[in-house]
Amino acid sequence: LDHGNDMGLVCGGAMHLAGVVTKTDVVRMIGHCEGANCVAPITSAMKCEIHTTTPNAWLHDVWEMMQKRGLKNVPVVDKDGAALGILNARDVLKNLWKEVQHEEDLLFNYVMNVGYR
């Protein structure tokens, strides 16, 4: 959970996604520790009820889900539930913005009678 990563994926056999853990989860768990030595299994800090997406999902739909649930990150899993990676809200917005800019360029060219490129 360093180098700018907000979420870690917890996987079991065959990379099957078992849960997620965030920096907030780790800090909350450390708050329950006593003394200088804090040893606890990841299962005591991770969340098992998670919202995921697949590589074939539409970004618009993923963005709506993220907004509705207040998520900054969403795990991406394959059809068997194996973890593939994490989709960050910043990356979703960046790609959605590219789509909007492309549509604006097409509309501008149409209005200016330049044609489509």
Side-chain angles (χ1 to χ4, degrees):
L1 295 176
D2 59 357
H3 305 295
N5 297 319
D6 295 333
M7 175 187 284
L9 303 179
V10 181
C11 299
M15 289 301 293
H16 188 269
L17 186 63
V20 297
V21 64
T22 64
K23 290 178 183 181
T24 305
D25 297 330
V26 172
V27 170
R28 185 178 304 119
M29 196 65 203
I30 291 172
H32 296 294
C33 293
E34 293 180 17
N37 234 352
C38 185
V39 179
I42 193 73
T43 54
S44 60
M46 73 181 200
K47 292 180 182 93
C48 295
E49 184 180 321
I50 49 180
H51 302 283
T52 62
T53 189
T54 63
N56 298 326
W58 291 99
L59 283 179
H60 292 93
D61 296 337
V62 175
W63 178 242
E64 283 183 20
M65 176 188 67
M66 293 174 87
Q67 283 185 302
K68 192 180 295 182
R69 292 183 164 71
L71 304 172
K72 292 191 309 185
N73 301 288
V74 176
V76 180
V77 297
D78 68 11
K79 61 183 168 117
D80 298 319
L84 300 174
I86 299 172
L87 187 59
N88 183 279
R90 179 180 53 249
D91 298 327
V92 173
L93 285 174
K94 188 187 317 180
N95 283 284
L96 289 174
W97 181 248
K98 284 180 187 177
E99 285 182 27
V100 169
Q101 287 178 318
H102 180 69
E103 289 175 6
E104 285 180 2
D105 290 344
L106 289 175
L107 182 58
F108 177 81
N109 289 339
Y110 177 77
V111 170
M112 298 303 290
N113 202 22
V114 175
Y116 294 103
R117 294 183 189 175

